[in-house]
Structure formats: structure tokens, C-alpha cells
Amino acid sequence: MPSPIDFYFDFSSPYGYLAAQRVGEIAEEHNREIRWRPFLLGVVFKTTGAQPLLGLPMKGDYAHHDLARSARLFDIPFTIPKRFPFMSVSACRAYYWLEEDNAEEAQDLALALYERAFGEGKSIAEPQEVAEVAEEQGHDPEEVMAALQNPRIKTRLKSEVEAALKKGVFGSPFFIADGEAFWGYDRLEDLGMWLDTGGW
Amino acid sequence: MPSPIDFYFDFSSPYGYLAAQRVGEIAEEHNREIRWRPFLLGVVFKTTGAQPLLGLPMKGDYAHHDLARSARLFDIPFTIPKRFPFMSVSACRAYYWLEEDNAEEAQDLALALYERAFGEGKSIAEPQEVAEVAEEQGHDPEEVMAALQNPRIKTRLKSEVEAALKKGVFGSPFFIADGEAFWGYDRLEDLGMWLDTGGW
């Protein structure tokens, strides 16, 4: 089996959400596993000096329009949560905690969190809100709440963010397949073509 | 005949160059005219606070890699000129001066200028260099040199840049088709799909 595709995203990234809705399809089409790698774009932005997309003059307006248009094209429910941008630390920690035992369940939680935020427009910023979504997925909310404060998990998230930075990940979504990097929701087709052809 | 597609670009934008190589094909496929609208991204960046792409931390490295990869995919000769980024005021003025008489000849000049810069890696920043390329296209270089200082042409370029800003153009390449905006070289496929379907 060929090596997995790394899928980097921030839970508060709307293009990351759109990518998350389609990445499973790509995995199946190409018989590749996807390693979901949530990270904290805010930390990366401190290094790069970049700013959150939707707040940028002109580009922000365009992005609002383009996000809705991109979602419509694939019939993906889409809305921007009232509270936006939002902290995604708790969502990330819950993901990495679950992943220790079961990567698939962690991915299911990630999708459920994303859908709560950008499908339903609800908040996933607070620990209790993350625990609630996890409970709907069959996890014990008290265990989740404890995990969010677990020093091992905190350290794990930090080292994941550092690892992403080291690999040159500066945006969300961001894919690395066989050492080749693709940035942006609009590069899913290129990623697929790369996997089909082995590169060019 | 349906309305033309506006194609906004800066002569010093490498993704604009790649788009310029393919935009004619899109025009033909969809039986649409393209109105080439060179503008000054530097002026727009003063409004938006954005920075030149290739100089950005991390994103710049990625863009270098992605530009070469994107060019290879379509067999487009590609290099970054030694002098980069460069002033594109003279190239823009020459374009709008020629366009007063003959839009097609202006487009041919624009393509030739782009190919000199990003195909051959030569400078097109200086008035004489622009006049040289124009001469190769059959224009009188002295007339071109005079046009570059012509107050009417200077004013024309200023008003084109203002018009682009007003339409929300914040990057290069940028397309507006039937009122719908598409930003980026990686949105050519979306633009084509929009023209095919009439939108979604």
C-alpha cells in the first residue's frame, strides 16, 4: 500500500471544511489513506505574518462569495458560524486524543466538528461544545473534557503544529502526497492528477 | 455575441503570465472575447496591505515550486526574471496606447512582453525594453517611447487601475465574466465551467 496523504487543516478554516467533505472520495479513488492533521493556523500566521482570509480587504469579500459558490457546486451545506474566526485548540486536542486509540473515530469526530461549525453554523470553540459533539459520536464527554486538559495531549498538539511548520505548511487546507505539497481547496484536482500520473 | 470576459493581470505576476498563455484557448472554446486589462498590483496592494507573493515567508517557496510545476503541466516555458519583482508601468502604458487603435495588436504585445519576461527571463521594466519588444511586433519604437510619456496614456492607466479596484480586483490573474469574479490561475477551470453552465 502506498504511503498516506497528509491532510493539514485548521478547524476554523472554511476552505478546510470544504476539502474535508471531499477528501474521503479522493482517498477511495486513489486507494490511499488520508492522515488528518489538524493544526493551529494562528500559530503559523505568527511565523509568516499572514492574516485570517475573511478579514482581508477585498479578498475577504471575494472569499465569502467564492466559498458559497464552491459549496453549491458540490452540494455541500455551508454557512459561516456567527462566532468567527474561532479558537480551534479544543477541537484539535480532542482529535489527537482520540487518534491515539483509533484514527478512524478521530476522523469521524473531525468531520462532525466541521459540520457543526460550517454546516450548521454553531460554535465548536468551547471545550464543552467539543465534548458535546464527541458525545454524539459515542464518546464519554467527561473523558473528553479531561483529555482537553491532559498535558500529554497539549504537548502532542504543540509538536504537531511544529511539525507542520517544518514541512512548510502555511495555509489550510494543505496536502502533502509523496513529498509533493498542494495548497488550497482549488488544488484538489491537481492532487488527484498527481496521484494518477505519479507526477510531472 | 455575449459580453467579453475581463482578464485583469499585472505584467510582473507570474501566475498572470501562465493565465495569459491559456486564456485565448478559453475564449475560443466558449466563443467569448477577452478584454485584457493590465493593471498595477502595487497600487492595489497599497489599498489592501497585501505583499508580493514570492517574497512571503513559506508561501513564497511554495509558489516558486508550484509555478514551475504548473508551467510543466501545460508545457509552458517558465522562468523568474533575474530582476524581480519589476515595475510594469511602461508595459501597461504601451498596452493601453496600442489598444486605442487596435485591441488585437495590444494583446499581441502583451503576450510578447509576458513571454520576454517569464518565458526568457529578460527585463521588461525599462521603457526602452518595452519599445524593443514593440518594435519586434512591427511598431515604431520612437512612437512607443513618446507614448510612454504621453499624459493622456498616463491618465488612462490610472483610471484603469482605479476601475479595477472598484470592481474588487485584488490579485492577478483575476477574471470577471458576466459579473462573476474568479481569482487565480487555479480558477480557470471554474471560469470555463461557469461559461459552460451559465452559473450555479
Side-chain angles (χ1 to χ4, degrees):
Chain A
M1 179 115 183
S3 59
I5 300 160
D6 284 327
F7 166 38
Y8 296 92
F9 61 95
D10 184 309
F11 278 108
S12 87
S13 156
Y15 283 114
Y17 160 75
L18 294 182
Q21 298 287 329
R22 294 178 52 204
V23 87
E25 207 182 285
I26 288 175
E28 266 185 42
E29 268 176 38
H30 301 279
N31 193 30
R32 289 282 190 118
E33 271 178 50
I34 310 278
R35 291 206 319 151
W36 292 46
R37 298 286 97 185
F39 74 107
L40 300 172
L41 203 50
V43 176
V44 173
F45 281 2
K46 276 184 195 158
T47 301
T48 60
Q51 304 273 339
L53 175 69
L54 292 183
L56 295 175
M58 296 174 79
K59 204 186 265 194
D61 289 342
Y62 172 81
H64 272 285
H65 181 79
D66 182 63
L67 280 161
R69 177 174 67 187
S70 300
R72 284 199 307 275
L73 184 58
F74 284 88
D75 281 324
I76 300 171
F78 181 75
T79 183
I80 296 283
K82 264 174 224 151
R83 186 175 168 182
F84 185 87
F86 55 82
M87 293 289 286
S88 56
V89 176
S90 296
C92 281
R93 286 186 190 154
Y95 175 87
Y96 284 113
W97 172 68
L98 267 185
E99 203 209 38
E100 288 186 338
D101 283 334
N102 191 322
E104 214 168 302
E105 286 183 9
Q107 287 185 17
D108 290 344
L109 176 68
L111 251 186
L113 285 164
Y114 249 155
E115 282 164 8
R116 165 84 69 118
F118 293 102
E120 300 170 33
K122 292 181 187 158
S123 172
I124 58 165
E126 298 301 330
Q128 303 89 304
E129 292 159 350
V130 170
E132 219 176 278
V133 178
E135 190 176 8
E136 288 166 15
Q137 301 282 307
H139 306 290
D140 179 340
E142 298 204 0
E143 273 185 51
V144 176
M145 289 298 281
L148 298 183
Q149 297 309 321
N150 182 326
R152 190 183 73 250
I153 302 302
K154 289 183 180 183
T155 304
R156 173 71 193 282
L157 175 55
K158 270 186 203 157
S159 64
E160 288 290 341
V161 175
E162 276 163 32
L165 260 171
K166 247 191 189 158
K167 294 225 165 170
V169 176
F170 58 82
S172 167
F174 199 104
F175 302 89
I176 300 182
D178 307 330
E180 193 71 14
F182 296 89
W183 166 51
Y185 174 70
D186 37 20
R187 289 306 178 92
L188 282 179
E189 281 72 22
D190 278 12
L191 168 64
M193 220 189 306
W194 192 272
L195 294 172
D196 280 341
T197 62
W200 59 85
Chain B
M1 178 113 181
S3 59
I5 299 160
D6 284 328
F7 167 37
Y8 296 92
F9 62 96
D10 184 308
F11 278 107
S12 88
S13 156
Y15 283 113
Y17 160 74
L18 295 182
Q21 297 288 328
R22 295 178 51 204
V23 87
E25 208 182 282
I26 289 176
E28 265 185 43
E29 268 177 36
H30 300 280
N31 195 28
R32 290 284 189 115
E33 271 178 50
I34 310 277
R35 291 204 321 149
W36 293 45
R37 298 287 95 187
F39 73 107
L40 301 172
L41 203 49
V43 176
V44 172
F45 281 1
K46 276 184 196 158
T47 301
T48 60
Q51 303 275 338
L53 176 68
L54 292 183
L56 295 175
M58 296 174 79
K59 206 186 261 193
D61 288 341
Y62 173 82
H64 272 285
H65 181 79
D66 182 63
L67 280 161
R69 177 174 66 188
S70 300
R72 283 198 308 274
L73 184 59
F74 284 88
D75 282 323
I76 300 171
F78 180 76
T79 185
I80 297 284
K82 265 175 225 152
R83 188 174 166 181
F84 185 86
F86 55 82
M87 293 289 288
S88 56
V89 176
S90 296
C92 281
R93 284 186 191 154
Y95 175 87
Y96 285 112
W97 172 68
L98 267 187
E99 203 208 39
E100 288 185 338
D101 282 334
N102 189 321
E104 214 168 304
E105 287 184 7
Q107 288 185 18
D108 290 343
L109 176 68
L111 250 187
L113 285 164
Y114 249 155
E115 282 164 8
R116 164 84 70 117
F118 292 102
E120 301 170 32
K122 291 180 188 159
S123 172
I124 58 165
E126 298 301 329
Q128 303 90 303
E129 294 159 350
V130 170
E132 221 177 276
V133 178
E135 190 177 9
E136 288 166 15
Q137 302 281 307
H139 306 289
D140 180 340
E142 298 203 0
E143 273 185 48
V144 176
M145 288 297 282
L148 298 184
Q149 297 308 323
N150 182 325
R152 190 183 75 251
I153 301 301
K154 290 184 179 183
T155 304
R156 173 71 194 282
L157 175 55
K158 270 186 202 157
S159 64
E160 288 289 342
V161 176
E162 276 163 31
L165 259 172
K166 246 189 191 159
K167 293 224 166 170
V169 176
F170 57 83
S172 166
F174 198 104
F175 301 89
I176 300 181
D178 307 329
E180 193 72 13
F182 295 89
W183 167 52
Y185 174 69
D186 36 20
R187 290 307 179 91
L188 281 178
E189 281 72 22
D190 278 12
L191 168 64
M193 220 190 307
W194 192 271
L195 295 171
D196 279 341
T197 61
W200 58 85

